[in-house]
Amino acid sequence: MFCVDVAINLPVKNLFRQFTYVVPDNMAFLDTGWRVVVPFSAQKTEGFVVGRNDVVKNAGNLKSIEAVLGDGPWFDWEMLEAARWLSSYYMCSLAEAMRLFVPGKSSIKRTAVKDEKGNFLYYRYKERLKEKTVTAYRITEKGRAELKEGGIHLKAQIAALAALDGKGFLTLKELSKYKASPSVLRRLLERGCVEAGRRRILRNSYTAETERGEELLLTDEQLAAFNTVKDSINKNDGKTFLLQGVTGSGKTEIYLRAADLALKEEKQVLMLVPEIALTAQLVECFQARFGDLIAVAHSKLSQNERGDVWHRMRTGGAKILIGVRSAVFAPFEKLGLVIIDEEHEGSYKQEERPNYHARDVALKRCALAKATLILGSATPSLESYHEAKSGRYVHLRLTKRANGSRLPVAEIADMRRELADQNFSVLSRRLKEELVKTCAAGDEAIILLNRRGFSTFVMCRDCGTSITCPHCAVALVYHSAGEAMRCHYCGNTAKIPETCPKCGSRRIKFFGTGTQKAEAEIMALPEVRVLRMDQDSTAQKFAHADILKSFAAGERNVLIGTQMVAKGHDIPGVTLVGVLSADSSLNLPDFRAAERTFSLLTQAAGRAGRRDKDGCVIFQAYDAKNPVILAAAAQDYDSFAEGELKYRKELFYPPFSRMLKLTGLDKDRDEAQALAKRVVLFLETLQLEKRLSESVMVLGPFPGLVEKVMDLYRINVIVKAEDMQPVKDALLKSDFKEQKNLFFDVDPVSVI
Ligand code: ADP
Ligand code: ZN
Ligand code: ZN
């Protein structure tokens, strides 16, 4: 008899400790990593065995493990280590971290077992996951003998037996290839030549029919990049690569080659994408090249489907897993390569507890598994770019488009000049002219409505200056009429000025109109057939892909929409891209506003002219000389990054600091405020007592941009530090750790 420590799988945030249970003799095989059923308070619940416990003195007082789940340990060493790291890095309990690695949230189901008289005997526990099975057939001894001795004369029966000989259970569908009909199998069954059983089949709700993809002859740049990666995959050295390639430079082909190589080395591949629907083309490329070796895990899978997908990875039934951020927790038989496409995308960060970032989890898993990691993007996150520049990642660059087409340079339409010239349309004269020309020539256009940030900021219509906080260099936020503007970094407030602080103009504008007007104006142009892509039109499962397909097929010639029209896809006929209000998202009160805007504009421009015809790109902006807009127009990532990094360094923002956002949530505003205030005092006291470095910056408390969400007030505290671990450790040792209404967001994507 021995004891084990168990992390309890309950969705509570303040259950940090583990519990010790006795292992009954009939479960002596139990070991670290198994999922089990244990009695916990008045209920039975799922637990994860996290280690043996040989120091327990009076095991007599302890409860016993009730049952085991699955037919082997779910967590291998590498998954368990990753979970431990997750819990300490993201400040959550070990159980919360481990829950991420199992397909269902609570995965057991209880049924009462009774005797003939109906008396209760005991509970039986079963996994909630349902395996889908179908009837399948297997050859018997008798069948084999008759096949050999020629005891059967009917051709169809002989063919069916021959197909089954030497194999396990085959389904009717598989047997139909050998012309074995249900009636043939029924005869064989009656003669005792085959037996029937059930076989598990794995559901895959994502199937695309594509032709087999051909390998392309690599360009010199692609070849150089691939050779470097190749070396790492061969050596199993766990290196990280930043593959920075301009839009259309052929990053996909490198992913495919790297994956192919990993497969040849008998390793598995994980490919993360921001969203399956938006990356349908990439998935299709992989399916065309690798067929059945691929499993896809998108966010709309049912729990059962997800269980099947993970089963295929664990058993090695599939070799390549393509999935969204949560796929980073899948089990693998042998992981050798991880690819993160569009690594800069915000959707890799989970916005709820545990607030993990899939890129950082992947970094950890790759380090543990000695797997190669490729981060791909045309506009890398400044974090990754900084790592590459510092030599911690290998920097691979593709500077030219792979098919020889030219990278478009954007024109900037100055909307202040348009106004001055009495053009009150939302379309500049140049964009209108190009739209008409493009449609007349039978080509296609994409119009991006950069809606983000509208109506929250205040800007001068004459000089384009937006009102910013003097301490933080971010735009002040305007909430509702009569109220002052507020900085969401330091809490500083200011009155809305009567005149522009820079040029003295009285034409101060609150942003908030545009999208309907834009659509109406565009539709009124000759030969324009508009297709919309936004939240409403893409609510269904694969609506994105359908819209893009119909656009690619040329039924409509102008695609209008928000961010999603700008990303990833490769549509040959598009020669014009226009962006309305290119500079509006620069004014969001977030230190990443410039980075996001640059990335969005670059991606949008990259949709144009991807084949023989050159692309035309027009950015409409009020602040037409803004360096971020200029850099995006020139597709000059480096000069953007250099400028932005300098600014981040001065203001001690990531990647030069780490950030932690603490949010107090309460129905009562004062309570939330008091809680946040206590956190600030706690950290400041530690600093006074020299137990925490003075260089740690504690900002706040100040209200969130959306101050009340579902009747809960949110008050934030932001901490900036070069090394955040001491801050985390101090908080995890304090009462704040188990404080129910205080939330930690480590490396927040948004600080508002
Ligand atoms: P990215 O993901 O870098 O934006 P893609 O992988 O979508 O670029 O490639 C852009 C286009 O270039 C695709 O149509 C692709 O088929 C083509 N392409 C990629 N590599 C090559 C190559 N070596 N030779 C010719 N065409 C290529
Ligand atoms: Zn002004
Ligand atoms: Zn400020």
Side-chain angles (χ1 to χ4, degrees):
M1 188 215 71
F2 61 99
C3 295
V4 289
D5 289 334
V6 173
I8 305 295
N9 180 10
L10 281 179
V12 283
K13 89 186 243 316
N14 52 350
L15 190 66
F16 271 80
R17 54 176 291 235
Q18 276 102 58
F19 297 82
T20 306
Y21 289 89
V22 173
V23 177
D25 290 337
N26 64 347
M27 296 181 202
F29 55 85
L30 258 194
D31 206 342
T32 304
W34 277 81
R35 295 158 59 206
V36 290
V37 178
V38 291
F40 185 75
S41 55
Q43 49 178 323
K44 310 277 157 129
T45 165
E46 183 185 15
F48 309 122
V49 177
V50 296
R52 275 176 81 119
N53 188 327
D54 296 319
V55 296
V56 171
K57 294 279 157 23
N58 48 349
N61 295 333
L62 294 175
K63 294 179 183 161
S64 297
I65 303 271
E66 197 93 10
V68 298
L69 292 169
D71 45 19
W74 179 262
F75 292 88
D76 58 23
W77 166 84
E78 181 258 307
M79 288 159 84
L80 191 65
E81 275 307 299
R84 284 189 203 285
W85 168 81
L86 236 127
S87 93
S88 91
Y89 189 83
Y90 290 106
M91 307 175 77
C92 62
S93 72
L94 184 56
E96 277 178 288
M98 293 177 85
R99 280 162 67 78
L100 295 167
F101 290 80
V102 295
K105 281 201 167 132
S106 169
S107 46
I108 57 171
K109 190 168 145 188
R110 183 176 79 167
T111 38
V113 178
K114 295 177 181 167
D115 65 11
E116 317 82 84
K117 289 185 195 126
N119 295 319
F120 173 78
L121 283 175
Y122 59 91
Y123 285 118
R124 183 167 38 219
Y125 295 93
K126 256 178 61 184
E127 293 211 46
R128 201 183 285 278
L129 292 182
K130 278 206 205 77
E131 294 179 0
K132 188 169 174 183
T133 58
V134 291
T135 306
Y137 302 89
R138 181 166 70 178
I139 192 167
T140 58
E141 278 305 320
K142 179 160 183 265
R144 216 166 281 137
E146 296 215 359
L147 182 65
K148 214 167 171 188
E149 290 150 16
I152 297 181
H153 304 292
L154 284 168
K155 253 193 190 155
Q157 294 187 9
I158 297 172
L161 283 180
L164 285 165
D165 195 22
K167 305 226 179 70
F169 281 102
L170 295 186
T171 62
L172 262 183
K173 194 170 166 213
E174 288 161 338
L175 282 166
S176 68
K177 282 185 218 143
Y178 305 97
K179 306 220 164 36
S181 64
S183 62
V184 169
L185 282 153
R186 198 154 10 126
R187 294 286 134 63
L188 288 170
L189 208 57
E190 283 160 9
R191 292 181 68 147
C193 291
V194 302
E195 58 187 355
R198 312 273 317 157
R199 206 181 82 189
R200 180 171 183 187
I201 59 160
L202 298 164
R203 287 151 287 202
N204 186 353
S205 74
Y206 195 97
T207 43
E209 278 159 35
T210 27
E211 298 143 37
R212 188 125 201 107
E214 294 297 320
E215 284 205 349
L216 296 162
L217 192 65
L218 294 184
T219 64
D220 291 349
E221 282 187 333
Q222 282 174 318
L223 191 64
F226 174 63
N227 281 335
T228 322
V229 173
K230 188 167 153 185
D231 203 40
S232 168
I233 296 174
N234 282 331
K235 281 199 208 128
N236 263 26
D237 59 7
K239 270 196 187 145
T240 304
F241 296 84
L242 175 62
L243 176 60
Q244 183 182 347
V246 298
T247 53
S249 59
K251 295 184 283 295
T252 311
E253 191 61 32
I254 297 185
Y255 301 157
L256 291 165
R257 296 285 180 106
D260 191 45
L261 179 68
L263 258 50
K264 287 199 178 107
E265 302 261 313
E266 318 227 306
K267 290 171 202 157
Q268 285 173 306
V269 180
L270 167 64
M271 163 109 187
L272 295 182
V273 295
E275 201 188 317
I276 294 283
L278 285 178
T279 36
Q281 283 183 333
L282 186 64
V283 176
E284 280 169 18
C285 275
F286 268 75
Q287 270 165 335
R289 192 78 55 97
F290 301 108
D292 290 347
L293 299 175
I294 290 186
V296 180
H298 53 82
S299 53
K300 286 169 183 156
L301 282 186
S302 72
Q303 191 170 315
N304 285 323
E305 287 172 332
R306 195 175 180 76
D308 286 351
V309 165
W310 288 21
H311 180 77
R312 285 180 71 196
M313 299 317 297
R314 149 111 337 133
T315 56
K319 302 296 178 198
I320 300 176
L321 175 61
I322 304 181
V324 292
R325 67 165 182 260
S326 58
V328 78
F329 299 109
F332 292 94
E333 191 185 32
K334 188 162 190 348
L335 182 62
L337 171 68
V338 178
I339 299 164
I340 305 186
D341 188 37
E342 309 289 357
E343 66 90 32
H344 62 279
E345 279 285 332
S347 59
Y348 286 123
K349 173 81 194 257
Q350 166 138 313
E351 295 268 31
E352 61 206 64
R353 200 185 151 95
N355 307 52
Y356 69 87
H357 197 301
R359 184 176 60 221
D360 292 304
V361 179
L363 274 162
K364 188 69 195 178
R365 287 197 79 170
C366 285
L368 289 166
K370 297 261 180 288
T372 301
L373 176 60
I374 302 176
L375 307 173
S377 176
T379 54
S381 64
L382 284 166
E383 281 84 353
S384 297
Y385 181 75
H386 184 62
E387 292 295 301
K389 281 280 160 198
S390 319
R392 284 182 292 271
Y393 298 169
V394 182
H395 204 173
L396 306 172
R397 304 200 63 155
L398 305 174
T399 60
K400 294 193 268 298
R401 282 192 162 171
N403 61 6
S405 72
R406 245 182 307 166
L407 203 58
V409 170
E411 286 172 43
I412 299 173
D414 182 342
M415 295 308 279
R416 275 184 284 130
R417 151 105 12 106
E418 298 291 320
L419 273 181
D421 293 350
Q422 310 295 306
N423 173 19
F424 302 108
S425 158
V426 281
L427 298 178
S428 61
R429 289 160 293 183
R430 273 292 290 142
L431 183 53
K432 193 182 275 176
E433 179 193 337
E434 284 296 333
L435 254 174
V436 171
K437 215 159 87 186
T438 302
C439 293
D443 294 327
E444 296 182 302
I446 292 179
I447 303 293
L448 168 65
L449 306 170
N450 191 16
R451 205 161 35 172
R452 224 190 227 166
F454 274 27
S455 86
T456 57
F457 69 101
V458 182
M459 191 164 97
C460 169
R461 266 211 121 146
D462 284 316
C463 74
T465 295
S466 61
I467 315 297
T468 56
C469 170
H471 308 293
C472 309
V474 290
L476 289 170
V477 175
Y478 166 76
H479 285 255
S480 55
E483 218 203 311
M485 296 179 297
R486 194 190 299 125
C487 168
H488 282 267
Y489 281 72
C490 68
N492 194 30
T493 59
K495 276 233 155 358
I496 300 161
E498 301 263 294
T499 55
C500 169
K502 202 167 151 196
C503 76
S505 159
R506 292 187 152 268
R507 304 215 301 155
I508 300 283
K509 186 170 160 63
F510 302 92
F511 270 77
T513 54
T515 58
Q516 281 92 357
K517 204 176 159 206
E519 219 186 314
E521 280 191 25
I522 293 168
M523 274 195 277
L525 296 174
E527 296 193 48
V528 164
R529 294 182 306 280
V530 169
L531 187 63
R532 259 191 87 104
M533 181 153 154
D534 58 20
Q535 298 296 353
D536 305 330
S537 61
T538 54
Q540 282 164 319
K541 214 170 185 176
F542 296 112
H544 279 120
D546 295 341
I547 291 177
L548 288 174
K549 277 210 181 94
S550 118
F551 183 57
E555 293 153 24
R556 310 284 182 90
N557 53 8
V558 179
L559 178 67
I560 301 188
T562 49
Q563 337 295 348
M564 55 183 90
V565 302
K567 292 178 181 171
H569 45 81
D570 183 30
I571 297 171
V574 175
T575 56
L576 173 66
V577 168
V579 182
L580 309 190
S581 300
D583 53 343
S584 71
S585 52
L586 279 177
N587 298 294
L588 271 180
D590 195 309
F591 75 93
R592 287 197 176 90
E595 180 176 352
R596 295 211 185 97
T597 304
F598 178 85
S599 154
L600 180 65
L601 296 181
T602 310
Q603 299 285 346
R607 298 311 112 214
R610 292 171 74 96
R611 293 299 187 277
D612 341 319
K613 285 196 188 174
D614 276 354
C616 171
V617 179
I618 297 172
F619 294 162
Q620 297 192 167
Y622 282 94
D623 187 6
K625 298 247 155 50
N626 187 295
V628 176
I629 304 292
L630 292 173
Q635 306 238 8
D636 184 357
Y637 178 88
D638 289 288
S639 77
F640 161 74
E642 295 311 320
E644 185 66 12
L645 282 173
K646 214 171 121 214
Y647 150 78
R648 298 264 184 106
K649 191 169 190 173
E650 272 164 24
L651 292 167
F652 199 42
Y653 285 134
F656 301 97
S657 70
R658 293 282 176 162
M659 273 200 182
L660 170 65
K661 178 165 87 175
L662 299 106
T663 305
L665 282 178
D666 207 292
K667 280 206 180 90
D668 181 339
R669 195 187 181 287
D670 295 340
E671 290 287 327
Q673 173 75 21
L675 175 58
K677 187 80 208 158
R678 271 191 11 241
V679 175
V680 173
L681 281 177
F682 171 76
L683 293 173
E684 285 176 352
T685 307
L686 287 181
Q687 288 183 308
L688 282 177
E689 292 169 355
K690 304 258 179 259
R691 290 194 285 156
L692 192 63
S693 162
E694 275 176 20
S695 67
V696 172
M697 286 172 70
V698 183
L699 307 168
F702 44 86
L705 177 61
V706 185
E707 199 183 344
K708 191 164 85 168
V709 178
M710 299 209 286
D711 287 328
L712 286 178
Y713 283 92
R714 21 184 59 208
I715 308 289
N716 292 331
V717 175
I718 298 278
V719 184
K720 292 199 266 182
E722 209 161 313
D723 177 9
M724 194 59 80
Q725 205 55 47
V727 179
K728 292 183 198 167
D729 291 344
L731 287 164
L732 287 177
K733 271 188 224 135
S734 74
D735 295 342
F736 290 119
K737 172 166 107 171
E738 299 194 1
Q739 182 90 40
K740 276 208 179 80
N741 54 348
L742 181 67
F743 289 83
F744 307 117
D745 186 355
V746 178
D747 305 330
V749 163
S750 155
V751 292
I752 52 182

